[in-house]
Amino acid sequence: MIQSHLGEIYSLFTAIFWTITAICFEIAGKKIGSLSVNYIRLIMGFILISLFTTFSRGMMLPVDATLKSWIFLSISGLIGFVIGDLFCFRLICKLAPEHLC
């Protein structure tokens, strides 16, 4: 029975974790500001992904990637993680999570 409903179970957990994340970011953003929350999240994410790739691939950064891949990855990260998330966290700080749903 559980095998046939794995998608629904995963989606339920995803919704729960997104809700917890929104509440935590609202609380942290109101205490220290959305820019600080974004910087801390980016640094923690970089450390965790670096640890993961060090253990899974044997290198911290994808040094085997081409220059073109590095350029596209950098532009994508700058737009998505830095600029996009900064505006998202500012919105979360201005609106309470209960108004976002």
Side-chain angles (χ1 to χ4, degrees):
M1 171 95 172
I2 234 169
Q3 286 290 358
S4 63
H5 296 289
L6 274 179
E8 289 90 348
I9 293 169
Y10 291 151
S11 64
L12 178 64
F13 278 115
T14 301
I16 290 169
F17 290 132
W18 272 104
T19 303
I20 292 170
T21 300
I23 292 169
C24 290
F25 276 119
E26 183 219 356
I27 292 168
K30 287 185 177 179
K31 285 186 178 181
I32 62 172
S34 61
L35 187 62
S36 299
V37 171
N38 199 27
Y39 283 147
I40 292 168
R41 183 192 62 84
L42 287 172
I43 292 168
M44 286 177 55
F46 180 75
I47 291 169
L48 291 174
I49 198 75
S50 297
L51 287 172
F52 175 77
T53 56
T54 299
F55 289 118
S56 66
R57 299 187 68 220
M59 58 182 106
M60 190 171 95
L61 296 172
V63 292
D64 56 342
T66 64
L67 179 62
K68 183 179 179 181
S69 297
W70 273 100
I71 290 171
F72 282 122
L73 184 65
S74 299
I75 293 170
S76 171
L78 182 67
I79 293 171
F81 288 124
V82 178
I83 298 170
D85 286 350
L86 177 64
F87 289 131
C88 179
F89 293 143
R90 283 199 179 163
L91 176 70
I92 288 174
C93 289
K94 289 186 185 285
L95 300 175
E98 58 266 8
H99 297 328
L100 298 176
C101 300

Coordinates of all heavy atoms in Angstrom, one line a residue:
M1 N 0.8 -1.2 0.0 CA 0.0 0.0 0.0 C 0.9 1.3 0.0 O 0.6 2.2 -0.7 CB -0.9 -0.1 1.2 CG -1.7 1.2 1.5 SD -3.3 1.1 0.7 CE -4.0 2.6 1.4
I2 N 1.9 1.3 0.8 CA 2.8 2.5 0.9 C 3.5 2.7 -0.4 O 3.7 3.9 -0.8 CB 3.7 2.4 2.1 CG1 3.5 3.6 3.0 CG2 5.1 2.3 1.8 CD1 4.2 3.5 4.3
Q3 N 3.9 1.7 -1.1 CA 4.6 1.9 -2.4 C 3.7 2.6 -3.4 O 4.3 3.4 -4.2 CB 5.0 0.5 -2.9 CG 6.2 -0.1 -2.2 CD 7.5 0.6 -2.4 OE1 7.6 1.6 -3.2 NE2 8.5 0.2 -1.8
S4 N 2.5 2.3 -3.4 CA 1.6 2.9 -4.4 C 1.3 4.4 -4.1 O 0.8 5.1 -4.9 CB 0.3 2.2 -4.5 OG -0.4 2.2 -3.3
H5 N 1.6 4.9 -2.9 CA 1.3 6.2 -2.5 C 2.6 7.0 -2.1 O 2.5 8.0 -1.4 CB 0.4 6.3 -1.3 CG -1.0 5.7 -1.6 ND1 -1.9 6.3 -2.4 CD2 -1.5 4.5 -1.2 CE1 -3.0 5.6 -2.5 NE2 -2.8 4.5 -1.8
L6 N 3.7 6.6 -2.6 CA 5.0 7.3 -2.3 C 5.0 8.7 -2.8 O 5.5 9.6 -2.1 CB 6.2 6.5 -2.9 CG 6.7 5.4 -2.0 CD1 7.9 4.7 -2.7 CD2 7.1 5.9 -0.7
G7 N 4.4 9.0 -3.9 CA 4.4 10.4 -4.5 C 3.6 11.3 -3.6 O 4.0 12.4 -3.3
E8 N 2.5 10.8 -3.1 CA 1.6 11.6 -2.2 C 2.3 11.9 -0.9 O 2.2 13.0 -0.3 CB 0.3 10.9 -2.0 CG -0.6 11.0 -3.2 CD -0.4 9.7 -4.1 OE1 0.5 9.0 -3.9 OE2 -1.3 9.6 -5.0
I9 N 3.0 10.8 -0.4 CA 3.7 11.0 0.9 C 4.8 12.0 0.8 O 5.0 12.9 1.6 CB 4.2 9.6 1.4 CG1 3.0 8.7 1.7 CG2 5.1 9.8 2.6 CD1 3.4 7.2 2.0
Y10 N 5.6 11.9 -0.3 CA 6.7 12.8 -0.5 C 6.2 14.3 -0.7 O 6.8 15.2 -0.2 CB 7.5 12.4 -1.7 CG 8.3 11.2 -1.6 CD1 8.7 10.4 -2.6 CD2 8.8 10.8 -0.3 CE1 9.4 9.2 -2.5 CE2 9.5 9.6 -0.1 CZ 9.9 8.9 -1.2 OH 10.6 7.7 -1.0
S11 N 5.1 14.4 -1.4 CA 4.5 15.8 -1.6 C 4.0 16.3 -0.3 O 4.1 17.5 -0.1 CB 3.4 15.7 -2.7 OG 2.3 15.0 -2.3
L12 N 3.4 15.5 0.6 CA 3.0 16.0 1.9 C 4.2 16.5 2.7 O 4.1 17.5 3.3 CB 2.2 14.9 2.6 CG 1.7 15.2 4.0 CD1 0.7 16.3 3.9 CD2 1.1 14.0 4.6
F13 N 5.2 15.7 2.7 CA 6.4 16.1 3.5 C 7.0 17.4 2.9 O 7.5 18.2 3.6 CB 7.5 15.0 3.5 CG 7.2 14.0 4.6 CD1 6.9 12.7 4.3 CD2 7.2 14.3 6.0 CE1 6.6 11.7 5.3 CE2 7.0 13.4 6.9 CZ 6.7 12.1 6.6
T14 N 7.0 17.5 1.6 CA 7.5 18.7 0.9 C 6.7 19.9 1.4 O 7.3 21.0 1.7 CB 7.5 18.5 -0.6 OG1 8.3 17.4 -1.0 CG2 8.0 19.8 -1.3
A15 N 5.4 19.8 1.4 CA 4.6 20.9 1.8 C 4.8 21.3 3.3 O 4.9 22.5 3.6 CB 3.1 20.6 1.6
I16 N 5.0 20.3 4.1 CA 5.3 20.5 5.5 C 6.6 21.3 5.7 O 6.7 22.3 6.4 CB 5.3 19.2 6.3 CG1 3.8 18.6 6.4 CG2 5.8 19.4 7.7 CD1 3.7 17.2 6.9
F17 N 7.6 20.8 5.0 CA 8.9 21.4 5.1 C 8.9 22.8 4.5 O 9.6 23.7 5.1 CB 10.0 20.6 4.5 CG 10.3 19.3 5.3 CD1 10.4 18.1 4.7 CD2 10.5 19.4 6.7 CE1 10.7 17.0 5.4 CE2 10.7 18.2 7.4 CZ 10.8 17.0 6.8
W18 N 8.2 23.1 3.4 CA 8.1 24.4 2.9 C 7.4 25.4 3.9 O 7.8 26.5 4.0 CB 7.4 24.4 1.6 CG 8.2 24.2 0.4 CD1 8.3 23.0 -0.3 CD2 9.1 25.1 -0.3 NE1 9.3 23.2 -1.3 CE2 9.7 24.4 -1.3 CE3 9.5 26.4 0.0 CZ2 10.7 25.1 -2.1 CZ3 10.4 27.0 -0.8 CH2 11.0 26.4 -1.9
T19 N 6.4 24.9 4.6 CA 5.7 25.7 5.6 C 6.6 26.0 6.7 O 6.7 27.2 7.2 CB 4.5 24.9 6.1 OG1 3.6 24.6 5.0 CG2 3.7 25.8 7.1
I20 N 7.4 25.0 7.2 CA 8.3 25.3 8.3 C 9.4 26.3 7.9 O 9.8 27.2 8.6 CB 8.9 23.9 8.8 CG1 7.9 23.1 9.4 CG2 10.1 24.2 9.7 CD1 8.3 21.7 9.7
T21 N 9.9 26.1 6.6 CA 10.9 27.0 6.1 C 10.4 28.5 6.1 O 11.1 29.4 6.5 CB 11.4 26.6 4.7 OG1 11.9 25.3 4.8 CG2 12.4 27.5 4.1
A22 N 9.2 28.7 5.6 CA 8.6 30.0 5.5 C 8.5 30.7 6.9 O 8.8 31.8 7.0 CB 7.3 30.0 4.8
I23 N 8.0 29.9 7.8 CA 7.9 30.4 9.2 C 9.2 30.8 9.8 O 9.4 31.8 10.4 CB 7.1 29.4 10.1 CG1 5.6 29.3 9.6 CG2 7.1 29.8 11.5 CD1 4.9 28.2 10.2
C24 N 10.2 29.9 9.6 CA 11.5 30.1 10.2 C 12.2 31.3 9.5 O 12.8 32.2 10.2 CB 12.4 28.9 10.0 SG 11.9 27.5 11.1
F25 N 12.1 31.5 8.2 CA 12.6 32.6 7.5 C 11.9 33.9 7.9 O 12.6 35.0 8.0 CB 12.6 32.4 6.0 CG 13.8 31.6 5.5 CD1 13.6 30.4 4.9 CD2 15.1 32.1 5.7 CE1 14.7 29.7 4.5 CE2 16.2 31.3 5.3 CZ 16.0 30.1 4.7
E26 N 10.6 33.9 8.2 CA 10.0 35.1 8.6 C 10.5 35.5 10.0 O 10.8 36.7 10.2 CB 8.4 34.8 8.7 CG 7.7 36.1 9.0 CD 6.5 35.8 10.0 OE1 6.2 34.7 10.3 OE2 5.9 36.8 10.4
I27 N 10.6 34.6 10.9 CA 11.1 34.9 12.2 C 12.5 35.4 12.2 O 12.8 36.5 12.8 CB 11.0 33.6 13.2 CG1 9.5 33.3 13.4 CG2 11.7 33.9 14.5 CD1 9.3 31.9 14.0
A28 N 13.4 34.7 11.5 CA 14.8 35.1 11.4 C 14.9 36.5 10.6 O 15.7 37.3 11.0 CB 15.6 34.1 10.7
G29 N 14.1 36.7 9.6 CA 14.2 37.9 8.8 C 13.7 39.1 9.6 O 14.3 40.2 9.5
K30 N 12.7 38.9 10.5 CA 12.3 40.0 11.3 C 13.3 40.4 12.4 O 13.4 41.5 12.9 CB 10.9 39.7 11.9 CG 9.8 39.8 10.8 CD 8.4 39.7 11.4 CE 7.4 39.9 10.3 NZ 6.1 39.7 10.8
K31 N 14.1 39.3 12.9 CA 15.0 39.6 13.9 C 16.3 40.2 13.4 O 16.9 41.1 14.0 CB 15.3 38.3 14.7 CG 14.2 37.8 15.6 CD 14.6 36.6 16.4 CE 13.5 36.2 17.3 NZ 13.8 35.1 18.1
I32 N 16.9 39.6 12.3 CA 18.2 40.1 11.8 C 18.2 40.7 10.4 O 19.2 41.2 10.0 CB 19.2 39.0 11.9 CG1 18.8 37.8 11.0 CG2 19.4 38.5 13.3 CD1 19.9 36.8 10.8
G33 N 17.0 40.7 9.8 CA 16.9 41.3 8.4 C 17.0 40.2 7.3 O 17.7 39.2 7.5
S34 N 16.4 40.5 6.2 CA 16.3 39.5 5.1 C 17.7 39.4 4.4 O 18.0 38.3 4.0 CB 15.3 39.9 4.1 OG 15.6 41.2 3.5
L35 N 18.5 40.4 4.4 CA 19.8 40.4 3.7 C 20.7 39.4 4.5 O 21.4 38.6 3.9 CB 20.4 41.7 3.6 CG 21.7 41.8 2.8 CD1 21.4 41.4 1.3 CD2 22.2 43.3 2.8
S36 N 20.7 39.6 5.8 CA 21.5 38.7 6.7 C 21.1 37.3 6.6 O 21.9 36.4 6.5 CB 21.4 39.2 8.1 OG 21.9 40.5 8.3
V37 N 19.8 37.0 6.6 CA 19.3 35.7 6.5 C 19.7 35.1 5.1 O 20.1 33.9 5.1 CB 17.7 35.6 6.6 CG1 17.2 34.3 6.2 CG2 17.3 36.0 8.0
N38 N 19.7 35.8 4.1 CA 20.1 35.4 2.8 C 21.6 35.0 2.7 O 22.0 34.0 2.2 CB 19.7 36.4 1.7 CG 19.7 35.8 0.3 OD1 19.4 34.6 0.2 ND2 20.0 36.6 -0.7
Y39 N 22.4 35.9 3.3 CA 23.8 35.6 3.3 C 24.1 34.3 4.1 O 24.9 33.5 3.7 CB 24.6 36.8 4.0 CG 24.8 37.9 3.0 CD1 24.8 39.2 3.5 CD2 24.9 37.8 1.7 CE1 25.0 40.3 2.7 CE2 25.1 38.8 0.8 CZ 25.1 40.1 1.3 OH 25.3 41.2 0.5
I40 N 23.5 34.2 5.3 CA 23.8 33.0 6.1 C 23.3 31.8 5.4 O 24.0 30.8 5.4 CB 23.0 33.2 7.5 CG1 23.7 34.3 8.3 CG2 23.0 31.9 8.3 CD1 22.9 34.7 9.5
R41 N 22.2 31.8 4.8 CA 21.7 30.7 4.0 C 22.6 30.3 2.9 O 22.9 29.1 2.6 CB 20.3 31.0 3.5 CG 19.6 29.8 2.8 CD 18.4 30.3 2.0 NE 18.7 31.3 1.0 CZ 19.1 31.0 -0.2 NH1 19.3 29.7 -0.6 NH2 19.4 31.9 -1.1
L42 N 23.1 31.3 2.2 CA 24.0 31.0 1.1 C 25.3 30.4 1.5 O 25.9 29.5 0.9 CB 24.3 32.3 0.3 CG 23.2 32.8 -0.6 CD1 23.5 34.2 -1.2 CD2 22.9 31.8 -1.7
I43 N 25.9 30.9 2.6 CA 27.1 30.4 3.2 C 26.9 29.0 3.7 O 27.7 28.1 3.4 CB 27.7 31.3 4.3 CG1 28.1 32.6 3.7 CG2 28.8 30.6 5.1 CD1 28.4 33.7 4.7
M44 N 25.8 28.7 4.4 CA 25.6 27.4 4.9 C 25.3 26.4 3.7 O 25.8 25.3 3.8 CB 24.3 27.4 5.8 CG 24.6 28.0 7.2 SD 23.2 28.1 8.3 CE 22.6 26.4 8.3
G45 N 24.6 26.9 2.7 CA 24.4 26.0 1.6 C 25.7 25.7 0.8 O 25.9 24.5 0.4
F46 N 26.6 26.7 0.7 CA 27.8 26.4 0.0 C 28.7 25.4 0.8 O 29.3 24.5 0.2 CB 28.6 27.7 -0.1 CG 29.9 27.6 -0.8 CD1 30.0 27.3 -2.2 CD2 31.1 27.6 -0.1 CE1 31.2 27.1 -2.8 CE2 32.3 27.4 -0.7 CZ 32.4 27.2 -2.1
I47 N 28.7 25.6 2.1 CA 29.5 24.6 2.9 C 28.9 23.2 2.8 O 29.6 22.2 2.6 CB 29.5 25.1 4.4 CG1 30.3 26.4 4.5 CG2 30.0 24.0 5.3 CD1 30.2 27.0 5.9
L48 N 27.6 23.1 2.9 CA 27.0 21.7 2.8 C 27.1 21.1 1.5 O 27.4 19.9 1.4 CB 25.5 21.8 3.2 CG 25.2 22.1 4.7 CD1 23.7 22.3 4.9 CD2 25.7 21.0 5.6
I49 N 26.9 21.9 0.4 CA 27.1 21.3 -0.9 C 28.6 21.0 -1.2 O 28.9 20.0 -1.9 CB 26.5 22.2 -2.0 CG1 26.3 21.4 -3.3 CG2 27.4 23.4 -2.4 CD1 25.1 20.5 -3.3
S50 N 29.5 21.8 -0.6 CA 30.9 21.5 -0.8 C 31.3 20.2 -0.1 O 32.1 19.4 -0.6 CB 31.8 22.6 -0.3 OG 31.5 23.8 -1.0
L51 N 30.8 20.0 1.1 CA 31.0 18.7 1.8 C 30.4 17.5 1.1 O 31.1 16.5 0.9 CB 30.4 18.8 3.2 CG 31.1 19.7 4.2 CD1 30.3 19.8 5.5 CD2 32.5 19.1 4.6
F52 N 29.2 17.7 0.5 CA 28.6 16.6 -0.2 C 29.4 16.2 -1.4 O 29.7 15.1 -1.7 CB 27.2 17.0 -0.6 CG 26.5 15.9 -1.5 CD1 26.0 14.8 -0.9 CD2 26.4 16.2 -2.8 CE1 25.4 13.8 -1.7 CE2 25.8 15.2 -3.6 CZ 25.3 14.0 -3.1
T53 N 29.8 17.3 -2.2 CA 30.6 17.0 -3.4 C 32.0 16.5 -3.2 O 32.5 15.7 -3.9 CB 30.6 18.2 -4.4 OG1 31.2 19.3 -3.7 CG2 29.2 18.6 -4.9
T54 N 32.5 16.9 -2.0 CA 33.9 16.4 -1.7 C 33.8 14.9 -1.4 O 34.6 14.1 -1.9 CB 34.4 17.1 -0.4 OG1 34.5 18.5 -0.7 CG2 35.8 16.5 0.0
F55 N 32.8 14.4 -0.7 CA 32.6 13.0 -0.4 C 32.1 12.2 -1.6 O 32.5 11.1 -1.8 CB 31.7 12.8 0.8 CG 32.3 13.2 2.1 CD1 31.7 14.2 2.8 CD2 33.5 12.6 2.5 CE1 32.3 14.6 4.0 CE2 34.0 13.0 3.7 CZ 33.4 14.0 4.5
S56 N 31.2 12.8 -2.4 CA 30.7 12.0 -3.6 C 31.5 12.1 -4.8 O 31.6 11.1 -5.6 CB 29.3 12.6 -3.9 OG 29.3 13.9 -4.4
R57 N 32.3 13.2 -5.1 CA 33.1 13.3 -6.3 C 34.6 13.4 -6.0 O 35.4 13.3 -7.0 CB 32.6 14.5 -7.1 CG 31.2 14.4 -7.6 CD 30.8 15.5 -8.5 NE 31.5 15.3 -9.8 CZ 32.1 16.3 -10.4 NH1 32.0 17.6 -10.0 NH2 32.7 16.1 -11.6
G58 N 35.0 13.6 -4.8 CA 36.4 13.7 -4.5 C 36.9 15.1 -4.7 O 38.1 15.3 -4.6
M59 N 36.1 16.1 -5.0 CA 36.5 17.5 -5.2 C 35.4 18.4 -4.7 O 34.3 18.1 -4.8 CB 36.9 17.8 -6.6 CG 35.8 17.6 -7.6 SD 36.4 17.9 -9.3 CE 36.5 16.2 -9.9
M60 N 35.9 19.5 -4.1 CA 34.9 20.5 -3.5 C 34.2 21.2 -4.5 O 32.9 21.4 -4.4 CB 35.7 21.5 -2.6 CG 34.8 22.3 -1.7 SD 35.7 23.2 -0.5 CE 35.9 24.8 -1.4
L61 N 34.8 21.7 -5.6 CA 34.2 22.4 -6.7 C 34.3 21.6 -8.0 O 35.2 20.8 -8.1 CB 34.9 23.8 -6.8 CG 34.7 24.8 -5.6 CD1 35.6 26.0 -5.9 CD2 33.3 25.2 -5.4
P62 N 33.4 21.9 -8.9 CA 33.5 21.2 -10.2 C 34.6 21.7 -11.1 O 34.4 22.4 -12.1 CB 32.1 21.4 -10.8 CG 31.6 22.6 -10.2 CD 32.2 22.7 -8.8
V63 N 35.9 21.4 -10.7 CA 37.0 22.0 -11.4 C 37.1 21.3 -12.8 O 37.9 21.9 -13.7 CB 38.3 21.8 -10.6 CG1 38.3 22.7 -9.4 CG2 38.6 20.4 -10.3
D64 N 36.4 20.2 -13.1 CA 36.5 19.6 -14.4 C 35.5 20.2 -15.3 O 35.4 19.8 -16.5 CB 36.2 18.1 -14.2 CG 34.9 17.8 -13.5 OD1 34.4 18.6 -12.8 OD2 34.5 16.6 -13.6
A65 N 34.7 21.2 -14.9 CA 33.7 21.8 -15.8 C 34.4 22.8 -16.7 O 35.5 23.4 -16.4 CB 32.7 22.6 -15.0
T66 N 33.8 23.0 -17.9 CA 34.3 24.0 -18.9 C 34.1 25.4 -18.4 O 33.2 25.7 -17.6 CB 33.7 23.7 -20.2 OG1 32.3 24.0 -20.2 CG2 33.9 22.3 -20.7
L67 N 34.8 26.3 -19.1 CA 34.6 27.8 -18.8 C 33.1 28.2 -19.1 O 32.5 28.9 -18.3 CB 35.6 28.6 -19.6 CG 35.5 30.1 -19.4 CD1 35.8 30.5 -18.0 CD2 36.4 30.8 -20.4
K68 N 32.6 27.7 -20.2 CA 31.2 28.0 -20.6 C 30.2 27.6 -19.5 O 29.3 28.3 -19.1 CB 30.9 27.4 -21.9 CG 29.5 27.7 -22.4 CD 29.3 27.0 -23.8 CE 27.9 27.4 -24.3 NZ 27.6 26.7 -25.6
S69 N 30.5 26.4 -18.9 CA 29.6 25.9 -17.8 C 29.7 26.7 -16.6 O 28.7 27.0 -15.9 CB 30.0 24.4 -17.5 OG 29.7 23.6 -18.6
W70 N 31.0 27.2 -16.3 CA 31.2 28.0 -15.1 C 30.5 29.4 -15.3 O 29.9 29.9 -14.3 CB 32.7 28.3 -14.9 CG 33.3 27.2 -14.0 CD1 34.0 26.2 -14.4 CD2 33.2 27.1 -12.6 NE1 34.4 25.4 -13.4 CE2 34.0 26.0 -12.2 CE3 32.6 27.9 -11.6 CZ2 34.1 25.6 -10.9 CZ3 32.8 27.5 -10.3 CH2 33.5 26.4 -10.0
I71 N 30.5 29.9 -16.5 CA 29.9 31.2 -16.7 C 28.3 31.1 -16.6 O 27.7 31.9 -15.9 CB 30.2 31.7 -18.1 CG1 31.7 32.2 -18.2 CG2 29.3 32.9 -18.5 CD1 32.2 32.5 -19.5
F72 N 27.7 30.1 -17.2 CA 26.3 29.9 -17.1 C 25.9 29.6 -15.6 O 24.9 30.0 -15.1 CB 25.8 28.8 -18.0 CG 25.7 29.3 -19.4 CD1 26.4 28.6 -20.4 CD2 24.9 30.3 -19.8 CE1 26.3 29.0 -21.8 CE2 24.8 30.8 -21.1 CZ 25.5 30.1 -22.1
L73 N 26.7 28.8 -14.9 CA 26.4 28.4 -13.5 C 26.5 29.7 -12.7 O 25.6 29.9 -11.8 CB 27.4 27.4 -13.1 CG 27.2 26.8 -11.7 CD1 25.8 26.1 -11.6 CD2 28.3 25.9 -11.3
S74 N 27.5 30.5 -12.9 CA 27.6 31.7 -12.1 C 26.5 32.7 -12.3 O 25.9 33.3 -11.4 CB 29.0 32.4 -12.5 OG 30.0 31.6 -12.2
I75 N 26.1 32.9 -13.6 CA 25.0 33.8 -13.9 C 23.7 33.3 -13.3 O 22.9 34.0 -12.7 CB 24.9 34.0 -15.4 CG1 26.1 34.8 -16.0 CG2 23.6 34.7 -15.8 CD1 26.2 34.8 -17.5
S76 N 23.5 32.0 -13.5 CA 22.2 31.4 -12.9 C 22.2 31.5 -11.4 O 21.2 31.9 -10.8 CB 22.2 29.9 -13.3 OG 21.2 29.2 -12.6
G77 N 23.3 31.3 -10.7 CA 23.4 31.4 -9.3 C 23.2 32.8 -8.8 O 22.5 33.1 -7.8
L78 N 23.8 33.8 -9.5 CA 23.6 35.2 -9.1 C 22.2 35.6 -9.3 O 21.6 36.2 -8.3 CB 24.5 36.0 -10.0 CG 24.5 37.5 -9.7 CD1 25.1 37.8 -8.3 CD2 25.2 38.3 -10.7
I79 N 21.5 35.3 -10.4 CA 20.2 35.7 -10.6 C 19.2 34.9 -9.6 O 18.4 35.5 -9.0 CB 19.7 35.5 -12.0 CG1 20.5 36.4 -12.9 CG2 18.2 35.7 -12.2 CD1 20.3 36.2 -14.4
G80 N 19.4 33.6 -9.6 CA 18.4 32.8 -8.8 C 18.6 32.9 -7.3 O 17.7 33.2 -6.5
F81 N 19.8 32.5 -6.8 CA 20.1 32.4 -5.4 C 20.3 33.8 -4.7 O 19.8 34.0 -3.6 CB 21.3 31.6 -5.1 CG 21.1 30.1 -5.4 CD1 21.9 29.4 -6.3 CD2 20.0 29.4 -4.8 CE1 21.7 28.1 -6.5 CE2 19.8 28.1 -5.0 CZ 20.7 27.4 -5.9
V82 N 20.9 34.7 -5.4 CA 21.2 36.0 -4.7 C 20.1 37.0 -4.9 O 19.5 37.4 -3.9 CB 22.6 36.5 -5.2 CG1 22.9 37.9 -4.5 CG2 23.7 35.6 -4.9
I83 N 19.8 37.3 -6.1 CA 18.8 38.4 -6.4 C 17.4 37.9 -6.1 O 16.6 38.5 -5.4 CB 19.0 38.9 -7.8 CG1 20.4 39.6 -8.0 CG2 17.9 39.9 -8.1 CD1 20.7 39.9 -9.4
G84 N 17.0 36.7 -6.7 CA 15.7 36.2 -6.6 C 15.3 35.9 -5.1 O 14.2 36.3 -4.7
D85 N 16.2 35.2 -4.4 CA 15.9 34.9 -3.0 C 15.9 36.1 -2.1 O 15.2 36.1 -1.1 CB 16.9 33.8 -2.5 CG 16.6 32.4 -3.1 OD1 15.5 32.3 -3.8 OD2 17.4 31.5 -2.9
L86 N 16.7 37.1 -2.4 CA 16.7 38.3 -1.6 C 15.3 38.9 -1.7 O 14.8 39.3 -0.6 CB 17.8 39.2 -2.1 CG 17.8 40.6 -1.3 CD1 18.2 40.3 0.1 CD2 18.8 41.5 -2.0
F87 N 14.8 39.1 -2.9 CA 13.4 39.7 -3.0 C 12.4 38.8 -2.3 O 11.4 39.3 -1.7 CB 13.1 39.9 -4.4 CG 13.9 41.1 -5.0 CD1 14.5 40.9 -6.3 CD2 14.0 42.3 -4.4 CE1 15.2 42.0 -6.8 CE2 14.7 43.3 -4.9 CZ 15.3 43.2 -6.2
C88 N 12.6 37.5 -2.5 CA 11.6 36.5 -1.8 C 11.6 36.7 -0.3 O 10.6 36.7 0.3 CB 11.9 35.1 -2.3 SG 10.9 33.8 -1.5
F89 N 12.8 36.7 0.3 CA 12.9 36.9 1.7 C 12.4 38.2 2.2 O 11.8 38.3 3.3 CB 14.3 36.6 2.2 CG 14.8 35.2 2.0 CD1 16.1 34.9 1.6 CD2 13.9 34.1 2.1 CE1 16.5 33.6 1.4 CE2 14.3 32.8 1.9 CZ 15.6 32.6 1.5
R90 N 12.6 39.2 1.4 CA 12.1 40.6 1.8 C 10.5 40.5 1.8 O 9.9 41.1 2.7 CB 12.6 41.6 0.9 CG 14.0 42.0 1.2 CD 14.3 43.4 0.6 NE 15.7 43.7 1.0 CZ 16.4 44.6 0.4 NH1 15.9 45.3 -0.6 NH2 17.6 44.8 0.8
L91 N 10.0 39.8 0.8 CA 8.5 39.7 0.8 C 8.0 38.9 2.0 O 7.0 39.2 2.6 CB 8.1 39.0 -0.5 CG 6.6 38.7 -0.7 CD1 5.8 40.0 -0.8 CD2 6.3 37.7 -1.8
I92 N 8.7 37.8 2.3 CA 8.3 37.0 3.5 C 8.4 37.8 4.7 O 7.5 37.7 5.6 CB 9.2 35.7 3.6 CG1 8.8 34.7 2.4 CG2 9.0 35.0 4.9 CD1 9.7 33.5 2.4
C93 N 9.3 38.7 4.9 CA 9.4 39.5 6.1 C 8.3 40.6 6.1 O 7.9 40.9 7.2 CB 10.8 40.2 6.1 SG 12.1 39.1 6.5
K94 N 7.9 41.0 5.0 CA 6.8 42.0 4.9 C 5.5 41.4 5.1 O 4.6 42.0 5.8 CB 6.9 42.8 3.6 CG 8.1 43.7 3.5 CD 8.0 44.6 2.3 CE 9.2 45.4 2.1 NZ 9.3 46.6 3.0
L95 N 5.3 40.2 4.6 CA 4.0 39.5 4.7 C 4.2 38.3 5.6 O 5.2 37.7 5.6 CB 3.5 39.0 3.4 CG 3.2 40.0 2.3 CD1 2.9 39.3 1.0 CD2 2.1 40.9 2.7
A96 N 3.3 38.1 6.5 CA 3.4 36.9 7.3 C 3.1 35.7 6.5 O 2.4 35.7 5.5 CB 2.4 37.0 8.5
P97 N 3.7 34.5 6.8 CA 3.5 33.3 6.0 C 2.0 32.9 5.8 O 1.6 32.4 4.8 CB 4.2 32.2 6.8 CG 5.3 32.9 7.5 CD 4.7 34.3 7.9
E98 N 1.2 33.3 6.8 CA -0.2 32.9 6.7 C -0.9 33.7 5.6 O -1.9 33.2 5.0 CB -1.0 33.1 8.0 CG -0.9 34.5 8.6 CD 0.2 34.7 9.6 OE1 1.0 33.8 9.7 OE2 0.2 35.7 10.2
H99 N -0.4 34.8 5.2 CA -0.9 35.6 4.1 C -0.4 35.1 2.7 O -1.0 35.5 1.7 CB -0.6 37.1 4.2 CG -1.2 37.7 5.4 ND1 -2.4 37.3 6.0 CD2 -0.7 38.7 6.2 CE1 -2.6 38.1 7.0 NE2 -1.6 38.9 7.2
L100 N 0.6 34.3 2.7 CA 1.2 33.8 1.4 C 0.4 32.6 0.9 O 0.6 32.2 -0.2 CB 2.7 33.5 1.6 CG 3.6 34.7 2.0 CD1 5.0 34.2 2.2 CD2 3.5 35.7 0.8
C101 N -0.4 31.9 1.7 CA -1.0 30.7 1.3 C -2.4 31.0 0.8 O -3.1 31.9 1.2 CB -1.1 29.7 2.4 SG 0.6 29.3 3.0

